[in-house]
Amino acid sequence: MSIRQSYNSFPRRRLAAIYSRKDRVLYSTTLPHGGRSARVIPTGMTMVEVLVAMTILLIGIWALATGFPKLLGVLSVEEKRTEMVNLLESTVEQHKRNAHNLPLAIRGDSTLAAPEGIHANSKPDDPDSGDFGITPANSRDDIVEIIGESFVVPAPGPTAPYPVHIFQQGLADPPFDVDDNAVTQVYQIVLSHSLNLQVTEDGLVTFDNADLAEISYAWWDDIDLRTHYVDGEVIAPNGYVDASNVDITGHHRFHRVVEGSVHGVGRQYFTVIEDDPVTPVNPLALGEVVQDITGAVLRFHPNAVGLQMRVNYTLRLEPQRYDRRALLMTEEHRIISAPQTIQLISSHIDDELALPLDLGGDETSVFAVDINTGETYWEGYDIAEFEDDEAAHGIVHIDASGAIGHDLRFYYATTDQDLVTLQKAPAVFVDRIVVAAASVGDLLYRSYLRDDRIDGSDITDLWFEPCNAGHTVAVDYTYLYGPDAEKRTVRGEMHTINTEPYDITVASIDYDDVHGITLDYDNVQEIIAVRGMSLKARAWWRTPNGRLVTLDVDTVLALTPIY
């Protein structure tokens, strides 16, 4: 039987009907050879179905509408984070390339009651308040002292009559405090061959051609029968080394300076002159240096070109914030035309806040300095005043025709309190027993305390102040190895100082909130040197909801000699 015959053999009857869930016929058909013709039964949605569908649609639209601002907020926060990451990475790379110009240390404000107690990771309790009763000392507002920023006096540019140095870490506070004490200190490094440095066995120091000497030496302890080492001690001529005062009953006592262990450099201090906002002052002779009124520039006499220098200074403080750090962003841009439009990294410039600068009566919310010549610019003086929403978008117009081809450093404040801070571990640390015997100077911030455990393990811990928590140090030391007690030396052993504080007792003295490392080898005999190796760049900013956010980029610097 063929398929056609089989098909035609069925009786006349409905072959198929398709029903909806409500048993309503959607369409029907009959077989050929008569019967009803095919037809479509129209269907639709009831009013209830329409209302349900519309409700679901509206809920979806409402959810999308309410979530969209949050999504935009998240995107904005992430965009800001990306900008800050890029800025931090470029900052760290720039400092790594110029590591020889980094300061010896960046420390807390020494006018505070306990500058060594500013924890490296502390944050302000109230970011908007500078009142110490509300916001105690912290790493954003109070790590402001730059110690030993190094540089070589450059030759002046073709249009600049005086060589200049631009403060690397930010605008400097005025060179003298209200009591006329020097805040900015500038000194030349006098190399050892010109110093004629001599140290007697009992610790008397003599030298020539310098105001102070910065020396390293070793001394013998006739109680614990070990050699102790000291790095970077600053001493006046005809003075005695600090170790000569060590006499801790039953524990340590100075016996003599180890012959042949002394080396160092001299410090020849320059006279710092404060600039006049009306009549600019220039250095008249070698040995004079002028700090300009903005705190951005040091001007030297032409005869100082090529000298190796260091400068100590305090970053710009803000009187309206109880003399705490001014929250200023710093960045550099190349001038390629005049006039030129600059797009700053951070937007939302606070154009209603006058920067804490003495500009002879002028006020500005953006300030710039030519790194080559020291020429300065501000609003109304080659920087155009903001119009419309330019400040909100970080747009600056500058007409610096004399700076084409030069890099300009810009300083400004934002409504988000944007800031980049730099923390650097001290170049060298000093044994706490010598620090305690020091006659002058505040050395606690760069001290370490040796603790030989008494539990029979022969393990040695070193303890540091809270300002160094999280920093990386390299330790040189000797230890005894094997049954024959062979003396071996370890150099450059790297450790990151623990961020957790401990209370310890060493030589019957209690020490609170110290942070430690544990050396790798047992039976440690002598700590030869402890050097700070880490550099931390930290970004601070406020989110749209006012939350203070921080972001860190850390790096370890190459191990280089101090002298």
Side-chain angles (χ1 to χ4, degrees):
M1 180 183 295
S2 68
I3 295 176
R4 176 73 177 178
Q5 291 172 332
S6 173
Y7 182 78
N8 290 333
S9 65
F10 285 103
R12 290 183 179 181
R13 66 179 183 272
R14 184 180 302 172
L15 290 180
I18 301 176
Y19 298 92
S20 70
R21 287 192 298 268
K22 292 184 172 61
D23 295 326
R24 193 182 313 132
V25 177
L26 298 179
Y27 65 88
S28 65
T29 185
T30 59
L31 288 170
H33 310 298
R36 292 185 300 168
S37 61
R39 63 192 179 91
V40 175
I41 300 177
T43 63
M45 297 179 66
T46 66
M47 183 60 69
V48 174
E49 291 173 327
V50 171
L51 291 175
V52 171
M54 290 182 64
T55 301
I56 295 173
L57 180 62
L58 289 173
I59 291 174
I61 293 174
W62 176 82
L64 184 62
T66 56
F68 196 68
K70 294 180 181 179
L71 178 61
L72 288 179
V74 171
L75 292 176
S76 176
V77 169
E78 289 306 312
E79 181 181 11
K80 183 75 171 185
R81 183 181 296 273
T82 300
E83 289 176 354
M84 287 300 188
V85 167
N86 293 336
L87 178 59
L88 289 177
E89 290 179 344
S90 63
T91 299
V92 168
E93 286 303 316
Q94 177 183 1
H95 284 297
K96 285 179 67 176
R97 288 194 300 269
N98 300 285
H100 56 285
N101 290 332
L102 281 170
L104 299 178
I106 302 176
R107 59 164 294 182
D109 189 341
S110 60
T111 64
L112 301 178
E116 74 282 354
I118 300 177
H119 196 288
N121 294 322
S122 57
K123 298 179 182 179
D125 291 347
D126 182 353
D128 294 318
S129 176
D131 189 337
F132 283 96
I134 299 173
T135 301
N138 63 84
S139 66
R140 185 193 73 167
D141 298 324
D142 304 298
I143 298 182
V144 295
E145 293 193 6
I146 311 302
I147 309 298
E149 180 174 290
S150 303
F151 61 97
V152 174
V153 178
T159 60
Y162 295 95
V164 298
H165 170 69
I166 310 302
F167 291 103
Q168 294 299 302
Q169 301 306 317
L171 296 177
D173 221 36
F176 302 97
D177 63 17
V178 293
D179 298 321
D180 209 31
N181 297 313
V183 175
T184 301
Q185 298 175 328
V186 182
Y187 56 91
Q188 176 191 351
I189 297 298
V190 179
L191 299 181
S192 56
H193 64 269
S194 301
L195 194 60
N196 192 25
L197 176 65
Q198 303 290 329
V199 180
T200 63
E201 189 176 80
D202 61 352
L204 177 65
V205 180
T206 59
F207 52 88
D208 301 322
N209 304 317
D211 297 314
L212 298 175
E214 186 176 317
I215 67 173
S216 297
Y217 61 95
W219 59 279
W220 178 254
D221 187 327
D222 65 358
I223 291 183
D224 75 354
L225 303 180
R226 291 174 177 170
T227 300
H228 297 262
Y229 295 80
V230 179
D231 274 327
E233 182 176 310
V234 180
I235 192 166
N238 300 311
Y240 284 84
V241 297
D242 289 337
S244 65
N245 298 318
V246 173
D247 189 359
I248 304 175
T249 304
H251 296 282
H252 302 285
R253 184 173 60 206
F254 173 85
H255 180 63
R256 58 181 171 81
V257 173
V258 176
E259 184 179 0
S261 67
V262 181
H263 62 280
V265 295
R267 292 183 178 185
Q268 184 66 43
Y269 283 81
F270 278 36
T271 300
V272 179
I273 302 172
E274 188 170 13
D275 204 358
D276 188 284
V278 178
T279 305
V281 179
N282 291 312
L284 299 178
L286 178 64
E288 292 185 348
V289 59
V290 175
Q291 179 175 320
D292 103 316
I293 58 173
T294 67
V297 183
L298 289 174
R299 288 197 299 274
F300 289 85
H301 190 273
N303 290 346
V305 171
L307 296 181
Q308 184 178 347
M309 308 292 295
R310 288 193 194 139
V311 57
N312 303 337
Y313 60 98
T314 298
L315 293 173
R316 180 67 57 148
L317 305 179
E318 203 165 351
Q320 293 82 359
R321 299 185 64 247
Y322 296 81
D323 284 334
R324 306 182 82 163
R325 179 172 180 164
L327 307 180
L328 301 179
M329 283 290 288
T330 304
E331 60 188 78
E332 296 179 8
H333 293 271
R334 176 69 55 88
I335 299 300
I336 59 176
S337 64
Q340 183 172 335
T341 298
I342 302 293
Q343 176 65 65
L344 299 176
I345 293 175
S346 291
S347 55
H348 305 294
I349 296 174
D350 193 344
D351 58 342
E352 296 184 358
L353 175 67
L355 300 185
L357 301 175
D358 182 2
L359 299 175
D362 292 342
E363 292 186 349
T364 186
S365 53
V366 176
F367 174 76
V369 59
D370 187 329
I371 294 177
N372 296 68
T373 65
E375 185 72 23
T376 52
Y377 307 85
W378 58 86
E379 285 182 89
Y381 182 74
D382 294 330
I383 293 181
E385 296 184 358
F386 290 108
E387 296 181 359
D388 301 326
D389 58 352
E390 290 177 339
H393 291 89
I395 297 174
V396 174
H397 302 288
I398 184 170
D399 188 358
S401 57
I404 293 178
H406 298 179
D407 288 329
L408 262 60
R409 183 172 297 159
F410 288 81
Y411 308 83
Y412 60 98
T414 73
T415 55
D416 296 332
Q417 297 181 345
D418 294 353
L419 179 68
V420 173
T421 60
L422 201 68
Q423 294 184 24
K424 181 185 178 297
V428 292
F429 288 83
V430 182
D431 193 329
R432 187 70 167 260
I433 61 175
V434 174
V435 170
S439 55
V440 294
D442 178 10
L443 303 177
L444 202 57
Y445 76 97
R446 63 179 186 98
S447 68
Y448 71 87
L449 177 68
R450 174 175 175 160
D451 179 16
D452 294 312
R453 297 185 190 175
I454 57 175
D455 57 6
S457 60
D458 293 325
I459 291 176
T460 297
D461 294 327
L462 300 182
W463 300 94
F464 301 82
E465 292 299 325
C467 57
N468 296 304
H471 280 302
T472 299
V473 295
V475 185
D476 300 347
Y477 62 96
T478 63
Y479 70 100
L480 301 181
Y481 175 77
D484 297 331
E486 176 189 353
K487 190 174 183 179
R488 293 187 173 184
T489 301
V490 176
R491 296 197 180 275
E493 183 177 290
M494 306 283 281
H495 292 273
T496 297
I497 300 170
N498 201 317
T499 56
E500 293 295 324
Y502 291 86
D503 298 338
I504 64 172
T505 300
V506 178
S508 303
I509 301 175
D510 295 330
Y511 300 90
D512 298 332
D513 295 332
V514 291
H515 301 255
I517 64 172
T518 299
L519 299 181
D520 289 346
Y521 291 93
D522 300 348
N523 298 311
V524 171
Q525 294 299 293
E526 303 155 345
I527 304 297
I528 300 173
V530 181
R531 292 184 286 271
M533 303 301 298
S534 57
L535 184 69
K536 179 192 296 289
R538 174 173 293 162
W540 307 76
W541 74 94
R542 303 286 288 276
T543 63
N545 63 8
R547 184 170 61 93
L548 183 64
V549 180
T550 63
L551 185 66
D552 292 351
V553 172
D554 296 85
T555 190
V556 174
L557 303 170
L559 189 61
T560 56
I562 302 302
Y563 306 115

